[in-house]
Amino acid sequence: MKKLILFLLPLLLFTACGEDCYNPPQPIVFEFVNAAGENLIANGTLTTYSIQDENNVGIQLTKTSENRVLLENVGAYNGTKNYKFYSNVKLFDFSIESAEFNSGCEGYQIKKLTFTGVGFDVKDENGYYKIIFQ
């Protein structure tokens, strides 16, 4: 029994000391504005909104203090996934293309967002996407 413990103890220590790290994909944040640049959440126009993936699974959304919408837990996969945005103002589709990377830590990186639909425009604002409803 003593030999078994002495054998397992170093094995557990070496296993536990391995450097585990994971880099999640960068967050995706949307800001919804009208053609005049007014934030539609702040002015009360956009009251209900949701996003579902291609399997009709709802995506967790968090409203930020800047009245933007943070998409939770998207992009941690290899390939492209399609999503639908639903709201009381507009519906549109978008896709997220992600890929796995390993640079010392495992993780995923969002390569590209593609938006499709009519009656809106999108600008990449370095840290969030400004979606302009016309």
Side-chain angles (χ1 to χ4, degrees), residues 52-66:
Q52 289 186 345
D53 71 10
E54 57 198 17
N55 298 316
N56 295 320
V57 175
I59 302 301
Q60 182 180 346
L61 306 174
T62 302
K63 185 178 106 177
T64 70
S65 59
E66 296 91 16

Side-chain angles (χ1 to χ4, degrees), residues 76-123:
Y77 49 82
N78 275 324
T80 302
K81 273 194 177 180
N82 298 308
Y83 297 88
K84 289 190 178 292
F85 173 83
Y86 300 93
S87 77
N88 62 306
V89 176
K90 184 110 20 213
L91 308 174
F92 64 85
D93 297 327
F94 65 98
S95 62
I96 300 173
E97 181 184 335
S98 294
E100 189 173 10
F101 75 95
N102 189 345
S103 61
C105 289
E106 292 181 2
Y108 293 91
Q109 174 178 344
I110 294 175
K111 297 288 195 177
K112 182 168 117 179
L113 262 73
T114 305
F115 295 87
T116 56
V118 178
F120 73 97
D121 195 15
V122 179
K123 292 184 180 177

Side-chain angles (χ1 to χ4, degrees), residues 5 17 22 36 62 87 107 116 124 127 129:
I5 291 174
C17 291
Y22 173 75
T62 302
S87 77
T116 56
D124 184 347
Y129 293 89

Side-chain angles (χ1 to χ4, degrees), residues 1 4 10 13 18 22 30 32-33 46 66 70 87 91 99 121:
M1 181 72 169
L4 181 62
L13 287 175
Y22 173 75
F30 293 159
F32 301 99
V33 299
L46 185 62
E66 296 91 16
L70 171 67
S87 77
L91 308 174
D121 195 15

Side-chain angles (χ1 to χ4, degrees), residues 28-43:
I28 295 178
V29 180
F30 293 159
E31 179 180 28
F32 301 99
V33 299
N34 60 19
E38 299 171 311
N39 184 297
L40 298 178
I41 294 175
N43 73 11

